[in-house]
Amino acid sequence: MVELRFYFVDDDLASSRHTVYLLLASLGSAFAFARAYAALITGMTDGALIRINIITTYQDQDSPKGAPGSDLHRVGVFSFDTDNTPPGLYVLTIPALIEAAILSSGALAGVAIDTTQSAVAAFVAASTAGGAIYPVAPWDAGGLAGAGDELSYTGAALIALRSAYVGETP
Amino acid sequence: MAYVQGPTSITYTFTDDDGASSRETVKLPLGVSAVNIGSWAATYAGEVTAVSNAALTRYSITSEYYDDTFPVAAPGSDVENKGVFTFRTANNGSSSLTIPSIIEAVLIATGTRLSTYIDLANVLIAPVVAALVSGINVGGTVIAPATNNGIDLRSVKDAYKQNRSSQKSQGNRG
């Protein structure tokens, strides 16, 4: 299922959205449909269409539950340096962190995450720049430039893990 | 207008053994192709679930496109004046959608339905209804919208103008 959200503003800058759903459309064909459909609906409104979001959702039809004892409030907090100058910090949290990822000895036992643990190391590697595709912090590498900044949006790459520890969230 | 790709967000939703749910969102830089976004999201899902003992129940990819001409709404436009379209669906149900700030010119101009109901024969309305019911040909493939449960829209049951609340002061375009 693909969800198309069309965002309009009026002359007071109040916003509202129009939503339609498509079955089994690829992102490319969904965008082509969205552009053609946008040309039709803009004729019947005097609001301004400013943005289209295309949302593709993948759902596990078996509705799985977590492992016995899993607790979403017990999270792994991973702080990454970003490629700003000076570097920013961006945090990714992992709900229900596995026990095997937590240091079991030393002064930081039970608090810090073992970054040499295989699953942790793989997650950190996948989260930092280096591969062809990598996640980014939602701000520009050069810093925010103010109004119209979306035009120059690049996202700031996560370049290195700064810290990783266990946290509790409400 | 020219639509420019903005940030892509991927939101992973987890469930623990109590049935509580939690989400984590990551963003991708510009310029990643649709195919690569999909494969990266699936691969990263594997990395994330390996460090969590919650179950990953779903993930959503949101690709954003914005109009880089930054269009301005017409004076007097009001997104709370909505065109409400209710459709009959293929399973004999109904489904509604709304168009914000519908223009007066598409409303019925005479008779008892004066200025309240939408003229389905209007030259601006008929193509939209056709697109929703019969679809749009995109590169040789007809794509037709459905309800959020995947049920086809069949015909218009009702179409009228109604004032409904919307978010205020949320029109920041960056």
Side-chain angles (χ1 to χ4, degrees):
Chain A
M1 179 70 75
V2 175
E3 181 178 352
L4 304 180
R5 293 181 179 177
F6 300 86
Y7 290 86
F8 292 85
V9 294
D10 62 20
D11 66 346
D12 295 327
L13 287 184
S15 70
S16 183
R17 76 177 188 224
H18 167 67
T19 303
V20 297
Y21 299 89
L22 304 178
L23 285 171
L24 303 175
S26 68
L27 181 57
S29 60
F31 180 57
F33 176 92
R35 290 191 65 169
Y37 185 69
L40 297 177
I41 59 174
T42 49
M44 57 192 285
T45 172
D46 53 9
L49 176 62
I50 59 169
R51 193 172 80 241
I52 303 170
N53 280 7
I54 301 176
I55 304 171
T56 311
T57 300
Y58 301 87
Q59 183 142 3
D60 190 329
Q61 306 254 340
D62 296 331
S63 301
K65 280 192 171 181
S70 56
D71 181 3
L72 292 173
H73 300 295
R74 187 168 172 80
V75 299
V77 182
F78 296 83
S79 298
F80 294 89
D81 287 322
T82 64
D83 65 350
N84 297 77
T85 304
L89 269 183
Y90 188 64
V91 174
L92 291 174
T93 59
I94 297 293
L97 187 72
I98 57 173
E99 285 298 317
I102 303 170
L103 276 179
S104 57
S105 62
L108 294 176
V111 176
I113 292 173
D114 179 3
T115 55
T116 65
Q117 198 268 345
S118 59
V120 173
F123 166 72
V124 171
S127 300
T128 47
I133 305 172
Y134 47 83
V136 294
W139 53 76
D140 286 352
L144 293 173
D149 194 55
E150 279 179 285
L151 287 174
S152 62
Y153 174 92
T154 56
L158 315 184
I159 52 175
L161 183 68
R162 170 78 70 89
S163 65
Y165 57 91
V166 181
E168 293 283 340
T169 59
Chain B
M1 71 183 70
Y3 287 102
V4 177
Q5 187 184 10
T8 296
S9 301
I10 304 166
T11 298
Y12 297 93
T13 302
F14 298 86
T15 301
D16 66 17
D17 69 341
D18 295 328
S21 66
S22 177
R23 295 186 300 181
E24 173 63 17
T25 298
V26 295
K27 290 180 177 290
L28 294 181
L30 298 182
V32 182
S33 72
V35 170
N36 286 339
I37 289 171
S39 62
W40 187 89
T43 301
Y44 197 69
E47 308 289 358
V48 170
T49 51
V51 288
S52 173
N53 57 12
L56 179 66
T57 52
R58 67 174 178 168
Y59 63 91
S60 299
I61 301 170
T62 300
S63 298
E64 178 180 319
Y65 299 86
Y66 60 94
D67 187 341
D68 65 354
T69 64
F70 294 104
V72 176
S77 54
D78 184 353
V79 294
E80 295 189 343
N81 286 331
K82 300 185 191 302
V84 181
F85 294 81
T86 302
F87 289 84
R88 297 181 187 87
T89 61
N91 63 347
N92 294 319
S94 64
S95 179
S96 294
L97 53 82
T98 62
I99 299 284
S101 202
I102 191 145
I103 58 174
E104 295 290 320
V106 301
L107 304 179
I108 291 175
T110 59
T112 56
R113 294 186 151 196
L114 174 69
S115 295
T116 301
Y117 284 80
I118 294 169
D119 180 3
L120 296 177
N122 181 280
V123 68
L124 297 172
I125 297 297
V128 174
V129 171
L132 289 165
V133 173
S134 304
I136 295 175
N137 190 318
V138 176
T141 302
V142 175
I143 299 176
T147 70
N148 60 348
N149 293 320
I151 309 299
D152 286 342
L153 306 176
R154 284 287 167 81
S155 61
V156 177
K157 184 178 181 184
D158 213 356
Y160 53 91
K161 174 185 170 184
Q162 187 178 57
N163 193 269
R164 292 185 179 183
S165 63
S166 289
Q167 292 175 296
K168 286 292 186 184
S169 302
Q170 295 292 314
N172 184 7
R173 286 171 280 187

